[in-house]
Amino acid sequence: MFAPEELKREIERIRRENGFEVVPFVIEDVIYDESEGRLFIIGQDRADKSAIIGNSFVIGKLKEKLGVKQITVYSNLDLLLRKRELEKNMDLIEGTFLEFLIPLLKAELNYPPMRWPEIKNNGKALVFLSVYADALVGFARAFGLEPLKVGIRHSFPHLEYEPIEGTPREIFFPDEEKLLGIAEERDLRIIIADFSFGVKFAGDMALINPMRLLQIPHFRIKHIFGFRFPAYTHLDKRAALDFFLKLANDNLLEPTDGANLIWKAWKKGKGKVGI
């Protein structure tokens, strides 16, 4: 339906007619998800990706021209790096009680497009409402787990959960030992939160950050589950800075999105600056 050479010519036309420099770039592949009306354009490297996007203006004009609902641009390099991380995570959970998640990782190895299998009846999990609270609950359900939600008191007023004591910083950097203790008291083996790793085992228990386990970046999280900051009274600005910088460094957050998130956290946050 959409040939790489035809798209390349159209992008060059849009750049030329709107005052953008016509720079060389390569489109390696084009994938159209008809069920979602979503077009995926795969450039060769990050320079190609930047040329295709054109500061969002070019890709916006291309979307209008093609009449698709959404266009997502990747570099083949980023997809290869992502697949390497997914394969590492598959190796970590293979042969463990988390093996039921392997079909999801395999589906992500074949992304784009997104084709998650339905997974059911895998018990309960402790979900600590940290930065990506809505997504953490959504991921738990996608994993076939019943989420037992806990969170710092008043941190996510739009969600129902059991409040526990803690600091705003813990929303960005969850206290692993505290959560392991809570899970043990409730006879739960799986803890889901915004940890700084994809998966870690502690005895017969597992701590999971689904975003990192499945290598799903911020812009996809927003598309799938939505995103809301914690209450501004619980927005530790220094913790937010450290958290989002690490996401950007780990290729899970676009620099422009990261800058916007840090600015909002810095403007509204109540935590100590500490710089």
Side-chain angles (χ1 to χ4, degrees):
M1 183 175 181
F2 301 100
E5 283 305 312
E6 291 176 6
L7 287 183
K8 187 174 189 296
R9 285 194 293 271
E10 188 61 32
I11 291 167
E12 288 172 340
R13 182 192 66 77
I14 292 169
R15 292 186 69 92
R16 187 168 49 250
E17 292 181 359
N18 290 278
F20 289 87
E21 182 184 359
V22 178
V23 295
F25 63 91
V26 176
I27 296 177
E28 286 207 348
D29 197 9
V30 178
I31 300 167
Y32 182 58
D33 183 1
E34 191 169 1
S35 64
E36 296 285 334
R38 189 171 184 181
L39 184 68
F40 298 91
I41 302 175
I42 315 299
Q44 190 171 63
D45 57 28
R46 290 168 186 169
D48 296 322
K49 176 181 173 180
S50 296
I52 294 165
I53 292 173
N55 197 26
S56 297
F57 180 88
V58 173
I59 211 69
K61 287 289 186 182
L62 184 64
K63 186 174 77 168
E64 289 177 16
K65 172 70 175 179
L66 300 178
V68 297
K69 292 181 180 177
Q70 189 170 358
I71 297 177
T72 302
V73 184
Y74 286 103
S75 76
N76 193 45
L77 173 63
D78 285 338
L79 289 176
L80 289 172
L81 291 172
R82 179 175 183 269
K83 286 180 179 180
R84 186 179 68 180
E85 292 302 311
L86 284 166
E87 287 166 352
K88 287 180 182 177
N89 290 337
M90 285 177 65
D91 289 341
L92 285 173
I93 66 174
E94 190 171 6
T96 74
F97 64 91
L98 295 181
E99 205 166 36
F100 67 88
L101 295 175
I102 285 181
L104 273 170
L105 274 81
K106 286 184 176 178
E108 282 299 305
L109 278 173
N110 293 316
Y111 176 87
M114 177 175 151
R115 293 286 186 269
W116 284 359
E118 188 174 8
I119 299 178
K120 295 181 178 180
N121 304 322
N122 291 306
K124 300 178 180 180
L126 184 73
V127 177
F128 174 67
L129 301 181
S130 31
V131 186
Y132 288 92
D134 295 286
L136 294 171
V137 175
F139 273 122
R141 292 176 176 144
F143 291 176
L145 295 163
E146 179 186 344
L148 300 185
K149 295 169 282 183
V150 299
I152 306 301
R153 193 181 304 273
H154 306 309
S155 57
F156 291 95
H158 68 284
L159 292 172
E160 292 184 5
Y161 60 94
E162 179 185 335
I164 60 174
E165 295 304 316
T167 66
R169 182 172 179 79
E170 290 176 45
I171 295 168
F172 293 88
F173 297 95
D175 185 329
E176 296 174 31
E177 293 303 317
K178 177 192 288 187
L179 295 176
L180 283 167
I182 294 171
E184 188 173 19
E185 289 172 2
R186 301 173 192 207
D187 197 28
L188 300 172
R189 301 180 72 191
I190 297 174
I191 303 167
I192 295 176
D194 282 307
F195 298 116
S196 60
F197 48 80
V199 61
K200 181 193 288 187
F201 292 94
D204 62 349
M205 303 171 77
L207 302 96
I208 301 173
N209 179 342
M211 181 182 190
R212 290 181 174 276
L213 179 73
L214 297 175
Q215 288 292 296
I216 297 181
H218 173 83
F219 77 86
R220 278 188 67 198
I221 294 285
K222 286 196 304 181
H223 177 74
I224 301 168
F225 300 112
F227 174 78
R228 296 190 232 193
F229 272 117
Y232 288 134
T233 52
H234 288 67
L235 235 173
D236 183 319
K237 57 178 69 176
R238 178 53 199 249
L241 172 65
D242 292 340
F243 179 86
F244 290 124
L245 281 178
K246 180 166 175 53
L247 277 188
N249 187 60
D250 294 340
N251 293 321
L252 291 169
L253 179 63
E254 291 290 333
T256 302
D257 286 337
N260 287 332
L261 290 168
I262 288 168
W263 167 244
K264 288 178 183 177
W266 203 260
K267 185 177 179 183
K268 301 292 186 179
K270 301 297 182 181
K272 294 180 180 178
V273 174
I275 292 180

